[in-house]
Amino acid sequence: MLIFSDARCFGRLELCSDFRKHRAIKALGPDGLDAVRNRNRFMFYCERRKRPIKQMLLDQSVIAGIGNIYASEILFQAGISPFSPSCELSLKQHEKLAQAMVDILSLAIEKNGTSISDYKRVDDKTGEFQDFLKVYGKEKESCQRCGNPIQRRVQNQRSSFFCANCQC
Ligand SMILES: [Zn+2]
């Protein structure tokens, strides 16, 4: 028996003989967990675009596996504003960003994902990463680093949470 439960309707099922040859898979960039190893490739894309860095993180053809929650958390750890033009990031910021991608995604996997509304694992348990969120969903709460209020702004129809003092 195969059960496909797609509460948020982002998923799809397709049958193919070799998934690596599927056009959707071939269109993906390298996995965010390999961000340190693929930092030069990511920098290459960023240097050629003026798009805000958060949009670059959400572009699955540039780097795969980062959703809206994790993009906010990654940028907070790296100390980078979600609105910074991707072409203006320094080498030092790219180093911090790549390490933050690996750290945040690894912890999220270890904690079985984030259960904010409806996400459940196949064994009916919920994820635990929501207990480790530092900015996402924390609007008006105090920043854990500096105490300033966390802000929320809609960016490209998605919520971005950030600390204006710690992220520039
Ligand atoms: Zn702060």
Side-chain angles (χ1 to χ4, degrees), residues 116-127:
I116 289 176
S117 55
D118 47 20
Y119 168 71
K120 273 193 180 177
R121 297 161 33 176
V122 288
D123 58 6
D124 209 37
K125 291 178 181 162
T126 56

Side-chain angles (χ1 to χ4, degrees), residues 91-128:
L91 177 60
K92 188 95 193 147
Q93 286 178 310
H94 272 290
E95 287 170 359
K96 285 184 179 176
L97 189 58
Q99 190 58 54
M101 287 188 230
V102 175
D103 292 349
I104 296 291
L105 293 176
S106 300
L107 184 63
I109 290 166
E110 186 189 315
K111 301 299 174 191
N112 299 303
T114 308
S115 294
I116 289 176
S117 55
D118 47 20
Y119 168 71
K120 273 193 180 177
R121 297 161 33 176
V122 288
D123 58 6
D124 209 37
K125 291 178 181 162
T126 56
E128 294 164 9

Side-chain angles (χ1 to χ4, degrees), residues 13-23 25:
L13 271 177
E14 284 186 44
L15 192 63
C16 57
S17 54
D18 183 354
F19 77 91
R20 287 165 296 216
K21 291 180 181 163
H22 192 282
R23 66 187 184 292
I25 298 296

Side-chain angles (χ1 to χ4, degrees), residues 39-55:
R39 197 187 67 219
N40 287 344
R41 180 186 185 276
F42 186 70
M43 281 173 59
F44 177 85
Y45 279 88
C46 286
E47 284 164 1
R48 278 150 188 81
R49 298 201 176 113
K50 290 178 183 163
R51 278 200 292 179
I53 188 61
K54 179 157 177 256
Q55 280 175 248

Side-chain angles (χ1 to χ4, degrees), residues 75-94:
L75 288 167
F76 176 74
Q77 180 178 314
I80 299 168
S81 165
F83 313 103
S84 292
S86 65
C87 59
E88 291 180 8
L89 264 57
S90 66
L91 177 60
K92 188 95 193 147
Q93 286 178 310
H94 272 290

Side-chain angles (χ1 to χ4, degrees), residues 143 146 163 166:
C143 170
C146 74
C163 172
C166 293

